[in-house]
Amino acid sequence: MHGHTIIYSGWLHSIEYRQNALEDNVSAQVIKDKKRNLFLQISKTPICAMV
C-alpha cells in the first residue's frame, strides 16, 4: 500500500475526539519522510506516525 492513494467515501471515526464524520472522496496514503518513517496522510494532511 505504500505510495498508493486510496479514495474513500463513508464514515470516519476519531478515537481522540470520539466523533464520527461522513466524508466523500477522501484520499488516504502512506508516505515516508526523509528519515524513512512511515506516516498516514489523509487528504494531504499528515495524521500520525506508524510505529
Side-chain angles (χ1 to χ4, degrees):
M1 171 160 168
H2 176 263
H4 297 281
T5 301
I6 296 172
I7 305 298
Y8 174 77
S9 294
W11 288 98
L12 296 176
H13 177 72
S14 170
I15 294 173
E16 181 178 354
Y17 296 106
R18 297 182 186 144
Q19 294 182 348
N20 294 319
L22 182 59
E23 299 295 332
D24 189 35
N25 293 324
V26 175
S27 64
Q29 184 178 27
V30 175
I31 59 170
K32 278 187 189 176
D33 67 2
K34 292 178 183 175
K35 295 180 182 178
R36 300 181 53 85
N37 296 320
L38 295 176
F39 287 87
L40 174 62
Q41 180 173 290
I42 297 178
S43 295
K44 300 194 184 216
T45 302
I47 301 300
C48 64
M50 301 176 80
V51 181

